[in-house]
Amino acid sequence: MAHMLELRNVHAFYGHIHALKGISLTVDRGEIVTLIGANGAGKSTTIRTISGLVHPRHGEIYLEAERIDGLPPHRVTELGVAQAPEGRWIFPRLTVMENLEMGAFIREDPDGIQEDLEYVFHLFPRLQERRDQLGGTLSGGEQQMLAIGRALMARPRLLLLDEPSMGLAPMLVERIFETIQSINQAGMTILLVEQNALMALQIAHRGYVLQTGEIVLEGTAQELQANEMVRKAYLGEE
């Protein structure tokens, strides 16, 4: 059976900068797979390349055996990939409700959209309370909830989460990770990019460690948590 997502020897560039140097990874249906690494390691570039915002110069990307590298972002979204980007990038002058509706813009099933809206409000009751509030007036944590909720409104097969805990207070970080786990338990396949390696490895099934555009380590979350290099470099142990 085909992987939900497969990258084969993907190379990507920003101008002359070789950002991804032969990335190969897989995500299977129902998994949470995490990418961990320092700033500048290539984590966000990997996400942007999958979603079509960066076109790889070499290599191939498959979504359930259908090749998607080189497609424009809207086409990748139509095929079932949704992203909650780093920095959230909600629409600040639209209301919470309008932001969520934007997530469903490619859909033509009003009943399904309403069902997913209720699901998002169940996950994030705060968004229901703030449904008529402008996105730009929300707190950082609420904006992160909105970014994830907006991605879910596309009813994707694969959810890409890029640094969901960035800039959030520790209590909110725990809440966001609990919600990510809950979304996964409801059947969503997730690729999670996260600097908070400890939290990411606690909820992920498998992970990959990136350094300067290359995968240097891969394994189950338990294997990576037990790895000496990971413990020293990413988990803060001496």
Side-chain angles (χ1 to χ4, degrees):
M1 198 169 89
H3 301 290
M4 174 64 77
L5 175 72
E6 183 176 9
L7 277 65
R8 298 180 187 169
N9 192 32
V10 170
H11 292 256
F13 290 75
Y14 290 119
H16 295 297
I17 298 169
H18 196 173
L20 299 182
K21 304 168 185 172
I23 297 286
S24 294
L25 61 83
T26 61
V27 182
D28 289 323
R29 183 188 294 275
E31 280 192 308
I32 299 177
V33 173
T34 188
L35 302 181
I36 59 176
N39 270 338
K43 305 186 304 297
S44 291
T45 304
T46 302
I47 291 278
R48 290 168 61 82
T49 304
I50 294 164
S51 62
L53 294 166
V54 173
H55 292 312
R57 199 172 292 182
H58 305 288
E60 300 165 3
I61 303 174
Y62 293 90
L63 182 69
E64 287 193 307
E66 182 169 358
R67 193 165 171 184
I68 62 170
D69 53 276
L71 296 179
H74 73 271
R75 184 74 189 111
V76 176
T77 302
E78 287 169 358
L79 289 171
V81 179
Q83 178 180 357
E86 180 183 0
R88 302 184 263 280
W89 289 93
I90 54 128
F91 300 104
R93 296 186 181 183
L94 298 184
T95 65
V96 166
M97 193 68 182
E98 288 166 338
N99 267 276
L100 293 173
E101 287 167 348
M102 287 296 288
F105 80 99
I106 59 169
R107 296 175 58 183
E108 296 176 355
D109 57 327
D111 291 346
I113 290 170
Q114 183 59 37
E115 190 180 303
D116 288 344
L117 188 62
E118 288 167 10
Y119 175 58
V120 169
F121 285 152
H122 168 73
L123 284 174
F124 302 116
R126 190 80 58 84
L127 295 183
Q128 186 160 24
E129 293 167 18
R130 306 264 195 276
R131 58 190 296 159
D132 298 319
Q133 200 168 313
L134 294 182
T137 65
L138 301 178
S139 70
E142 290 164 348
Q143 288 188 13
Q144 186 60 65
M145 294 172 193
L146 182 54
I148 294 173
R150 182 181 62 188
L152 289 173
M153 288 302 296
R155 195 175 275 189
R157 289 187 275 167
L158 174 67
L159 179 62
L160 307 176
L161 298 178
D162 195 354
E163 302 286 7
S165 78
M166 182 180 281
L168 301 185
M171 196 170 74
L172 269 176
V173 171
E174 283 198 23
R175 171 79 205 285
I176 289 291
F177 274 90
E178 284 169 6
T179 305
I180 293 168
Q181 207 166 17
S182 168
I183 293 166
N184 171 250
Q185 287 165 353
M188 182 64 65
T189 306
I190 297 172
L191 180 61
L192 168 67
V193 160
E194 181 54 60
Q195 261 198 296
N196 187 334
L198 184 62
M199 291 294 287
L201 290 172
Q202 283 174 359
I203 67 165
H205 300 96
R206 293 188 299 114
Y208 295 85
V209 179
L210 268 67
Q211 285 181 1
T212 57
E214 297 180 86
I215 290 171
V216 296
L217 202 59
E218 63 180 275
T220 66
Q222 289 82 2
E223 287 167 349
L224 293 179
Q225 280 177 299
N227 180 277
E228 190 176 352
M229 183 271 277
V230 172
R231 292 164 78 101
K232 286 182 177 175
Y234 305 110
L235 304 183
E237 297 187 16
E238 294 300 324

